[in-house]
Amino acid sequence: MIRLHLVSCLIALAALSACSSEPFSDDEKKIIAQLRLSELGSLEPDQSNRFADDPAAAAFGARLFVDARLSANGLISCASCHDPERQFQDDEPLGKGIGTSTRRTMPLAGAAHGDWFMWDGAKDSQWAQALVPLEDPREHGFSRAGVAQLIAEVYRTEYEAVFGALPEVGGQPDLPQLTLLERDQNHTRGEAEQDQINRVFANVGKSLAAFQRTISLEATRFDRYAAIISDAVEADDRNSFNSLEIEGLKLFIGKAGCIECHNGPRFTDDFFHNTGVPRRDEAPADPGRSAVLESVVGDPFNCLGPYSDAQAEECHALRFMVRDEAAMKGAFKTPSLRGVASRAPYMHAGQLQTLEEVIQHYSDAPAASTGTSEIAPITFTDRGRAALIAFLKTLE
């Protein structure tokens, strides 16, 4: 009888299941405690956007977020891709607006806690990022002058309540045979007029960012279990993990090495890594972060630019950014794993369809299509794969 009990315990321990009432070491408990959403804290001020936490700016931004008039065809709004019913993303492998992008739509909840935005970190603030889709011909396909005119014609009251008097943004030539974007491109304007348009354009981005800062993450079953592990609350059956979920959590913070990049309460280090993700179909290799190192520094809408509200010494991310092009080749921002189980497909261009494929990718650790991959192969058992997925589902 004793021998049978010993064998059963050895089998359970091999599967990292609960033979003991204490499945985690003290060091593991400390790591788990740091992953709780309650450890996230409040948002840091965005020094480059003095309207970032202005309720009126957020309310204005919420209206702009769903307004399809901010597009060349009058059909695309921010919410078209950042669907509130789908974690503010679209479940598509590539973002779809007027055309099709080359990368996935990123979810917005909790994103304001990061320093860099977009898969390649091409923008150093949420308000600067919000401007990109408006001008991208594959997304909204609009123009800065078109945005300014819409504000003047439709949103003057809301704009002036937040930002003060709307500057004179001028008109565009009467060329009805051209699209709005083409009319804007054919309109020659002076430096002062362009600056006024840019300032209205920047303020639209700041309003959109103010709204996005209100999109917060919600606590999950993992957070409740982590509180139990940390002795912050008493255990109950509804919040406890089963043996497979416990094994998955142990793998995540241990042997699997996921915690190296997916750390902190948002399960991301907000940095850029080359993990050897394959190309999508026959698309050219995406250089990722390395391709934007110069443009982000020269961006007129960055933290050091004329439309920022920050002092130069407050622009820490931009001033101390890693500028090693070789190290950043093929590197992309680590996405948050909160809600990941219901957010397929995966990777920056939706190259992998399921979590099983993601785990297989990290198990194989293929060579990168461009640059050098940082990952090494990891051997997973079938149970280990199932355990990791079971754990990731607790982040819903």
Side-chain angles (χ1 to χ4, degrees):
M1 194 71 175
I2 294 175
R3 182 180 178 184
L4 287 174
H5 178 70
L6 177 60
V7 169
S8 65
C9 267
L10 286 173
I11 292 172
L13 284 170
L16 297 176
S17 61
C19 261
S20 165
S21 60
E22 291 291 339
F24 298 101
S25 69
D26 288 343
D27 286 342
E28 288 173 326
K29 288 181 179 180
K30 290 178 182 178
I31 294 172
I32 294 168
Q34 294 169 359
L35 297 174
R36 291 178 297 169
L37 189 59
S38 59
E39 294 295 300
L40 185 59
S42 57
L43 272 172
E44 293 291 328
D46 179 358
Q47 303 295 350
S48 70
N49 179 7
R50 63 190 178 94
F51 307 96
D53 298 305
D54 182 335
F60 180 33
R63 290 194 63 190
L64 294 173
F65 192 83
V66 297
D67 194 336
R69 288 172 292 188
L70 285 167
S71 65
N73 64 1
L75 299 175
I76 304 299
S77 72
C78 302
S80 297
C81 291
H82 297 286
D83 185 346
E85 300 300 318
R86 298 178 177 177
Q87 299 185 42
F88 287 87
Q89 53 93 51
D90 56 11
D91 294 331
E92 297 284 348
L94 302 174
K96 292 182 178 180
I98 290 177
T100 301
S101 178
T102 57
R103 295 177 183 160
R104 272 218 72 187
T105 300
M106 299 188 88
L108 298 180
H113 287 271
D115 288 329
W116 297 102
F117 300 86
M118 306 178 69
W119 281 103
D120 55 12
K123 299 295 176 178
D124 66 342
S125 71
Q126 203 163 28
W127 67 267
Q129 183 280 322
L131 302 176
V132 175
L134 298 176
E135 292 189 290
D136 191 323
R138 301 164 300 179
E139 299 186 54
H140 293 239
F142 212 40
S143 68
R144 297 180 192 181
V147 170
Q149 284 187 309
L150 181 70
I151 297 301
E153 294 169 5
V154 179
Y155 289 112
R156 181 180 292 272
T157 299
E158 291 92 331
Y159 180 96
E160 293 186 339
V162 177
F163 301 106
L166 184 71
E168 178 58 51
V169 294
Q172 294 178 328
D174 184 16
L175 299 172
Q177 75 275 19
L178 300 180
T179 66
L180 180 58
L181 179 58
E182 289 169 333
R183 292 202 303 271
D184 185 32
Q185 291 171 338
N186 279 272
H187 181 40
T188 302
R189 58 176 59 89
E191 184 176 337
E193 182 184 359
Q194 186 61 60
D195 178 69
Q196 291 175 331
I197 290 172
N198 285 352
R199 194 161 298 281
V200 174
F201 190 57
N203 286 340
V204 164
K206 291 177 181 180
S207 296
L208 287 167
F211 164 63
Q212 291 177 57
R213 284 169 69 87
T214 69
I215 304 172
S216 58
L217 292 162
E218 295 183 0
T220 69
R221 194 158 65 87
F222 162 75
D223 296 297
R224 293 185 285 273
Y225 182 68
I228 293 169
I229 292 299
S230 306
D231 297 322
V233 298
E234 293 184 4
D236 64 60
D237 291 339
R238 292 171 301 170
N239 293 336
S240 295
F241 273 23
N242 61 38
S243 61
L244 193 64
E245 292 163 343
I246 290 172
E247 179 181 348
L249 176 52
K250 288 179 76 74
L251 282 171
F252 187 92
I253 65 175
K255 174 188 171 184
C258 312
I259 194 71
E260 292 182 19
C261 297
H262 295 285
N263 50 50
R266 292 171 47 239
F267 286 79
T268 173
D269 62 359
D270 285 311
F271 197 62
F272 307 92
H273 301 278
N274 186 329
T275 58
V277 177
R279 303 181 188 186
R280 179 176 178 82
D281 302 325
E282 300 302 318
D286 191 329
R289 178 66 170 165
S290 65
V292 303
L293 294 176
E294 290 187 17
S295 62
V296 70
V297 173
D299 183 5
F301 297 109
N302 70 20
C303 185
L304 291 170
Y307 307 104
S308 168
D309 299 313
Q311 299 297 313
E313 62 271 16
E314 295 172 321
C315 300
H316 305 292
L318 191 61
R319 292 173 61 207
F320 301 109
M321 64 181 278
V322 176
R323 303 191 186 190
D324 186 335
E325 185 174 339
M328 293 291 100
K329 192 171 185 179
F332 294 89
K333 186 176 179 180
T334 306
S336 169
L337 293 184
R338 287 188 172 271
V340 69
S342 59
R343 205 167 61 233
Y346 302 102
M347 306 307 186
H348 63 270
Q351 296 98 319
L352 305 179
Q353 300 302 307
T354 66
L355 288 175
E356 286 83 358
E357 288 185 19
V358 173
I359 294 173
Q360 186 62 50
H361 170 77
Y362 284 100
S363 179
D364 296 339
S369 59
T370 185
T372 305
S373 175
E374 301 174 22
I375 64 174
I378 303 172
T379 301
F380 293 103
T381 64
D382 289 344
R383 179 175 173 84
R385 295 166 190 262
L388 273 175
I389 292 173
F391 163 65
L392 291 173
K393 289 180 177 179
T394 71
L395 298 176
E396 292 294 304

